[in-house]
Amino acid sequence: VGADYLAVLDPAAPGGDASWREAAAGIRAVLRGERAEYHQECPCHAPSEPRWLLLRVTPLCGPRRGAVIAYRDVTAETLAITRLRDREARYRLSDEALRAVSQGVVITDPDHRIEWANDSFAAITGYTADEVVGRELELLQGPGSDPQAVEAIRQALAAGADYAGEVLHYRKSGEPFHDDLTISPVRDAHGRLSHFVSVVHDVTERQRAAAALVESDQRLRIALEATSDAYWDWDTVANQLYLSPRWYTMLGYPPEGHAQDLAWLRAHIHPDDQALVTETTRAAIESGTRFEVEARLKCANGTWRWTQSRGRVTTRDATGAAIRISGLNTDVHARKLAEDARAHLEAQLRQAQKMESVGRLAGGVAHDFNNMIGVILAYTEIALEQLDPTTPLHTDLVEVQNAAQRSAALTRQLLAFARRQVVTPTVLDPNAAVAHALTMLQRLIGENIHVAWQPTPTPWSIRIDPSQLDQVLTNLCVNARDAIKDVGTITIATANLVIDTAFCATCADATPGEFVRVTVTDDGEGMSPETLAHVFEPFFTTKAVGAGTGLGLATVYSAAQQNGGFITVETALGKGTSFHVHLPRHLGADAHAAATGPSPAARGTETVLLVEDEPAILHVLTRELERYGYRVLAASGPAEALRLAHAHREQIRLLLTDVIMPEMNGRDLANALKRDQPRLRALFMSGYPADVIATRGVIDPGVQLVPKPFTIANIVAKVRESLDRD
């Protein structure tokens, strides 16, 4: 042939160079007689795919030594042996690497038949490796498997492509399990598909946990929707605050339920409550305790709503810093309003108790005090009538009379504050009543202060005791005078006013309806908020010791309340003060009482039975009534009065009696006397407060009562008025 005996070999084939050198060395060894025979598989040149030849070298005998070289094509056998060796090596490495893996690993050939499975596959499916070798992975499918998933797996295998998805598979026992299956094709160095590696991952427990989590989330959502509480969760690291939809609807916002930041929440907390919320939260975070705080949150309509926030730190990092805080918000607005209302009622109760205490004090001393003042006034009046007004003694007695009248006024203030004074409401024209008092008020205030009068053109009628209205005007004007340091103006005005529910929301004492407002305004120094908070409290005064009793404004407040009205105040330091007294409109007969003084006393000749257990008053009244021409039967008690009446044969025209006496009250005495003298008329006197008198049945419609202390002129006029009644 003349060719190199190694020319048929292919050094460029994988391993060919080594095979070529080894073959050359083997042939030379045979030719030299060093080896009896040599054979080797070697790659050879081929026009298409690589070929393997089995080379056999046998020495020749003879003078020229040589060798017979024989070739046989062993390509198929060589490739098969190579694949087997590679497969065994691969399986050995895979088994060692995957034996401890929790996922099941299956290797299938290109025809999808299982060649190998690890121990985890057996643990998951219940099939041993021997039971699955040669079978297809479809053995794990069952009646519940998703046809679409099965078809997707089949198409991936047919195309030699990857597959990843969750499918329902079945164990050998028939028990279903959720398989998070992945299939990956493996190719050789020439790109040909050699096998598939499938990973079987049992995610049944994960599915159950996920389902349980979904169910738990649903239950939590249902619970949060069913309750009135709003859930919140604050991630302190990301500064994100999750607020449940209930949080928004509670405040009137559309239900959003998405994350906000802390700055957004702070903007919705009332400025007065922000420091409390911050400090409470900080202290709870540091101490690790549960916190609870009440604050006002801003509603969609701009109002503020009270909520109670409760929470605690739910997660901390390795250093102990809080990284997650969760809690609930509860709407407590109704409770807070109720607490405020209760606090207001308690304040009213305390005020009523103060009034009751003062009333008891006043009632306890009123009877004796009024009797003594009455005696002083009566004798002073008698003495003044007998003295020349130009004498010094007359001047001294006038001062005594003024002091007694001031003492009587103080007693009336105490009783008025406690709502225990005897009142006789009368339908009044407020303009006429105020106009009648203006002269007296100007004289009381002084010339350095101007009194301006601004009446409403068409005032509604009111029903009030004229003396109470005078008391209200006097106290307010005196208070205004004292607020003006030098010169100034006090303005008195009347107005018709309709009070609605919106106004009532700003004034706890107000009620809806039609009112006549009497306003007294001064341009004085005004009041501070601290003073305003106590302005109607009894005995509260900003005046020097001895300069005021602290009952003036308390009396005004009580008078307004007693007549179904209320009082409001507008004031500011340096801008003066306005007191607005609201009195309900009288809707009955529009008859105004004349705002005039008592009618002059008239003389008489009738017989009067006088009953009084205070000797001094009994004596002075007997003396003065006789001086005015009356015949007086004087008795120091009910028993003596009954004896005198039975012994007196002529008609007794009038019983003038005290109400509260040791043996019998005045009303019972009058009833006893009228059994024998039906035409007898009664005029009662009392220094006790109104509630004590009322229990004796005296303050009834048509009953005539003269409160003590009184002047002689007043009692004589009342006697004449009672005798002249039809």
Side-chain angles (χ1 to χ4, degrees), residues 447-495:
E447 296 181 355
N448 61 315
I449 298 175
H450 173 63
V451 178
W453 169 224
Q454 298 177 354
T456 184
T458 55
W460 292 333
S461 298
I462 57 175
R463 190 171 185 271
I464 186 174
D465 189 313
S467 64
Q468 277 189 306
L469 185 57
D470 288 342
Q471 240 178 8
V472 167
L473 291 171
T474 299
N475 285 321
L476 290 179
C477 287
V478 169
N479 192 71
R481 178 200 65 188
D482 295 340
I484 299 173
K485 295 302 183 183
D486 190 8
V487 296
T489 301
I490 296 175
T491 303
I492 304 175
T494 57

Side-chain angles (χ1 to χ4, degrees), residues 63-119:
R64 294 188 61 183
R65 300 179 62 185
V68 176
I69 301 174
Y71 296 90
R72 185 169 65 88
D73 189 343
V74 292
T75 301
E77 293 87 337
T78 300
L79 291 178
I81 293 172
T82 301
R83 283 199 301 269
L84 181 60
R85 289 173 178 171
D86 291 343
R87 185 180 304 160
E88 289 175 349
R90 182 172 64 250
Y91 289 173
R92 184 172 60 255
L93 293 174
S94 298
D95 188 56
E96 292 173 355
L98 299 176
R99 190 170 299 278
V101 177
S102 60
Q103 290 92 347
V105 179
V106 177
I107 298 178
T108 58
D109 62 18
D111 295 328
H112 316 145
R113 289 184 297 272
I114 298 175
E115 296 181 345
W116 178 87
N118 70 344
D119 294 341

Side-chain angles (χ1 to χ4, degrees), residues 460 497-499 511-516 583-587:
W460 292 333
L497 192 66
V498 177
I499 301 298
T511 56
E514 296 178 331
F515 290 81
V516 173
L583 299 171
R585 178 186 183 183
H586 177 68
L587 298 176

Side-chain angles (χ1 to χ4, degrees), residues 310-512:
R310 308 180 304 281
R312 64 182 180 87
V313 177
T314 56
T315 308
R316 295 182 183 271
D317 61 15
T319 65
I323 59 176
R324 193 163 190 170
I325 307 172
S326 302
L328 295 173
N329 266 45
T330 303
D331 186 345
V332 295
H333 193 70
R335 174 173 64 77
K336 292 292 290 186
L337 292 181
E339 289 177 353
D340 291 344
R342 183 168 62 250
H344 178 69
L345 290 176
E346 289 174 352
Q348 287 183 323
L349 176 61
R350 287 192 295 271
Q351 181 77 357
Q353 289 172 337
K354 291 178 183 178
M355 294 169 63
E356 181 67 19
S357 298
V358 174
R360 290 183 182 275
L361 173 65
V365 302
H367 179 259
D368 292 338
F369 192 59
N370 284 331
N371 279 339
M372 295 303 100
I373 294 176
V375 172
I376 295 171
L377 287 173
Y379 279 106
T380 304
E381 186 177 354
I382 293 170
L384 286 172
E385 289 178 356
Q386 299 174 10
L387 289 174
D388 184 348
T390 61
T391 63
L393 181 59
H394 187 282
T395 304
D396 294 341
L397 287 175
V398 169
E399 290 301 321
V400 172
Q401 187 181 51
N402 291 338
Q405 289 173 344
R406 286 195 296 271
S407 299
L410 179 59
T411 305
R412 285 195 299 270
Q413 277 192 323
L414 285 169
L415 294 174
F417 162 71
R419 304 185 191 179
R420 292 186 168 201
Q421 69 184 124
V422 180
V423 295
T424 306
T426 306
V427 179
L428 297 177
D429 177 350
N431 284 356
V434 174
H436 175 76
L438 285 178
T439 302
M440 179 269 296
L441 293 174
Q442 183 66 73
R443 203 177 289 128
L444 178 68
I445 292 170
E447 296 181 355
N448 61 315
I449 298 175
H450 173 63
V451 178
W453 169 224
Q454 298 177 354
T456 184
T458 55
W460 292 333
S461 298
I462 57 175
R463 190 171 185 271
I464 186 174
D465 189 313
S467 64
Q468 277 189 306
L469 185 57
D470 288 342
Q471 240 178 8
V472 167
L473 291 171
T474 299
N475 285 321
L476 290 179
C477 287
V478 169
N479 192 71
R481 178 200 65 188
D482 295 340
I484 299 173
K485 295 302 183 183
D486 190 8
V487 296
T489 301
I490 296 175
T491 303
I492 304 175
T494 57
N496 300 329
L497 192 66
V498 177
I499 301 298
D500 56 16
T501 54
F503 183 89
C504 294
T506 64
C507 180
D509 294 331
T511 56

Side-chain angles (χ1 to χ4, degrees), residues 221-303:
R221 178 178 54 80
I222 293 172
L224 290 176
E225 291 176 354
T227 183
S228 58
D229 292 339
Y231 173 75
W232 55 266
D233 183 76
W234 177 27
D235 182 345
T236 63
V237 177
N239 190 26
Q240 285 190 335
L241 183 71
Y242 170 78
L243 302 171
S244 69
R246 172 61 185 160
W247 199 95
Y248 295 93
T249 57
M250 181 172 63
L251 301 177
Y253 296 99
E256 300 177 19
H258 54 75
Q260 302 286 359
D261 57 21
L262 200 60
W264 184 91
L265 177 62
R266 179 177 289 275
H268 285 74
I269 300 176
H270 196 284
D272 295 343
D273 300 333
Q274 289 184 6
L276 175 63
V277 172
T278 301
E279 178 59 26
T280 302
T281 306
R282 183 195 61 77
I285 291 174
E286 292 180 355
S287 62
T289 59
R290 176 178 176 270
F291 71 86
E292 183 176 303
V293 63
E294 292 182 353
R296 287 159 290 182
L297 297 179
K298 190 174 185 180
C299 298
N301 59 6
T303 61

Side-chain angles (χ1 to χ4, degrees), residues 669-692:
L669 175 62
N671 291 335
L673 291 172
K674 285 183 178 181
R675 284 194 291 267
D676 294 330
Q677 300 193 43
R679 298 181 59 189
L680 178 69
R681 298 184 178 181
L683 176 61
F684 298 97
M685 307 174 291
S686 181
Y688 278 101
D691 58 343
V692 177

